[in-house]
Amino acid sequence: MDHFFVILYSLPLLSLLYIIYKIVDQRRHQGCYILDYQCFKPGDDRKLSTEFSGDVIKRNKNLGLNEYKFLLKAIVSSGIGEQTYAPRMVFAGREENPTYEDGIFEMDEFFNDCIGKLLSRAKVSASEIDVVVVNVSMLASIPSLASRIVNQYKMREDVKTYNLTGMGCSASLISINVVQNIFKSYKDMYALVVTSESLSPNWYSGNDKSMILANCLFRSGGCAILLSNKVELRKKAMFKLKCLVRTHHGARDESYGCCIQKEDEQGRVGFHLDKVLPKAATRSFVDNLKEIAPKILPVREILRFALVSTLRKTLQRAKGGARPVINLKSGVDHFCLHTGGKAVIDGIGQNLNLTEYDLEPARMTLHRFGNTSAGSLWYVLGYMEAKKRLKKGDKVFMISFGAGFKCNSCLWEVVRDLGDGNVWEDCIDSYPPETLINPFLEKYGWIQSEDISTFKFPE
């Protein structure tokens, strides 16, 4: 009888212990780790030199002297060098009439190179992949690009696929968020995130200045990322996701329309970048920062910022005085910024009091690869790794902006010392260069002094 009562009274305790075990075990399997990533580097035959860029611009018969002057100013101040890549249809001289197949071929070239290399290097078979998330904003195909990858690599019938379009330059963190949420419900999974942009069907051949600007900034590129929540792989991983925050200002008409695909007055489709874009980006960035800062910063920094802000309001300092700035460096070691353009990088640097050392990875990525849309963050990360900046325990803050208007950010922890060869391997020793001055000014600067009534582009 005594044994019966011992067992009877032990049942609630055993149940409680079992519940605690299940909760702890579930949390152990909810981690989100990057095992490896592979950025895409097209062949040298796709590089946009200054001379060839000038030829492409001259081919557009819809442009006049005013547009040439605008493009010269935009390109010279863009921070982009001569090593960036364009889609093949540009080199074939068909930017005014690209085909659907141009877009598909551009993606296939990327898929064949990056995914194969990634899986081979990670020693993971395509049949082991449980989740595939693809984000290519400006190309929708049937079947989807995700299905195209499943077919090409002969993945399992129960593989879960997600195909994201229209998400803009911040889409890769949205894809990571999708994987993160799946990992909360399923154990021991491999996930493949594929992030890129298809420029072939979206090259603008009109003369609207707000649309031809996109031709100056966007370049070919992409990245394939292998993630897992397998507990036994966490020590072999490169990065562990600490937190991720997404901010969406689509309810604001001004924010929604500042970065949008539409037709110009002649019916040519292009990507419109409005003058209010910096304002929309700042608003979304501030709101995003308010939410993620308490998650990534030590309590002492949050208390310091709150105290300084309160004192400033109490003392009612004169208008125009310097606002208190939160010190992200108290919880962040490296800043992985979206290469949306020189102005974007400068703006974030100024708002966060970042040094040139902090901004160097983004500036050099913009110079070498241009704005590769959602893939740009991973080229910036690759630069840090190639420079051997990433040490075990370091925290890397990623932030990106995209149409919508969206601001997405996250914090990664470096799991082990990193410094392996990657897409930067053959040129990292030459970065940063002595100067980032664009040779366009030297070659085409004479346009600035031309008169519209007598102007004729020399053959």
Side-chain angles (χ1 to χ4, degrees), residues 206-429:
N207 60 3
D208 188 311
K209 293 179 181 178
S210 71
M211 295 185 184
I212 56 179
L213 186 59
N215 291 351
C216 300
L217 296 174
F218 289 100
R219 295 291 185 267
S220 296
C223 185
I225 308 145
L226 181 65
L227 303 102
S228 181
N229 62 347
K230 292 176 180 282
V231 176
E232 64 270 21
L233 295 177
R234 60 186 178 182
K235 292 184 179 180
K236 297 180 180 179
M238 301 177 75
F239 305 94
K240 177 183 179 181
L241 182 63
K242 303 295 289 184
C243 64
L244 189 151
V245 170
R246 292 165 56 182
T247 303
H248 201 306
H249 280 186
R252 299 171 180 260
D253 291 342
E254 188 177 59
S255 297
Y256 176 80
C258 72
C259 192
I260 190 169
Q261 188 178 29
K262 66 177 187 178
E263 293 181 343
D264 64 13
E265 294 180 353
Q266 285 74 42
R268 298 185 182 89
V269 177
F271 200 63
H272 168 74
L273 301 175
D274 200 274
K275 293 180 180 179
V276 301
L277 178 58
K279 180 180 177 182
T282 301
R283 276 200 303 251
S284 63
F285 176 55
V286 170
D287 286 351
N288 186 277
L289 202 58
K290 287 179 181 177
E291 186 173 348
I292 199 170
K295 301 176 187 291
I296 66 177
L297 298 181
V299 175
R300 67 178 184 276
E301 172 57 24
I302 297 173
L303 292 176
R304 182 203 66 81
F305 180 74
L307 179 62
V308 172
S309 299
T310 302
L311 286 174
R312 182 175 183 271
K313 291 179 181 179
T314 303
L315 297 175
Q316 296 181 343
R317 294 191 175 182
K319 293 182 179 180
R323 291 184 177 183
V325 177
I326 198 160
N327 180 22
L328 278 183
K329 291 187 180 182
S330 61
V332 175
D333 300 293
H334 309 282
F335 294 85
C336 189
L337 311 179
H338 170 54
T339 59
K342 184 176 181 296
V344 172
I345 298 171
D346 290 344
I348 296 176
Q350 184 177 3
N351 287 329
L352 297 183
N353 279 342
L354 301 184
T355 65
E356 279 303 313
Y357 178 85
D358 299 320
L359 299 177
E360 180 186 309
R363 291 200 196 281
M364 298 307 107
T365 299
L366 179 64
H367 183 267
R368 174 63 181 85
F369 293 99
N371 180 354
T372 54
S373 188
S376 66
L377 286 174
W378 308 98
Y379 290 91
V380 179
L381 189 66
Y383 183 89
M384 296 178 188
E385 183 186 1
K387 283 292 186 181
K388 302 187 186 303
R389 293 188 180 188
L390 303 179
K391 305 301 180 183
K392 182 178 179 180
D394 285 357
K395 304 296 193 303
V396 181
F397 182 55
M398 274 188 174
I399 186 160
S400 61
F401 302 91
F405 191 85
K406 298 182 288 291
C407 177
N408 300 326
S409 65
C410 69
L411 187 74
W412 298 97
E413 180 180 348
V414 181
V415 178
R416 55 182 171 83
D417 290 350
L418 300 176
D420 298 336
N422 56 32
V423 72
W424 286 92
E425 189 171 18
D426 66 342
C427 64
I428 192 64
D429 291 338

Side-chain angles (χ1 to χ4, degrees), residues 15-41:
S15 298
L16 179 61
L17 291 174
Y18 178 74
I19 292 172
I20 293 174
Y21 166 76
K22 292 294 289 183
I23 293 174
V24 172
D25 184 62
Q26 184 180 22
R27 289 184 64 86
R28 286 178 68 241
H29 287 84
Q30 287 184 354
C32 183
Y33 300 92
I34 291 181
L35 301 181
D36 206 347
Y37 66 103
Q38 177 73 42
C39 292
F40 179 49
K41 184 165 70 173

Side-chain angles (χ1 to χ4, degrees), residues 144-156:
S144 70
L145 293 174
S147 294
R148 196 171 183 86
I149 292 172
V150 170
N151 175 264
Q152 183 173 343
Y153 288 91
K154 307 305 176 188
M155 295 179 178
R156 301 195 318 266

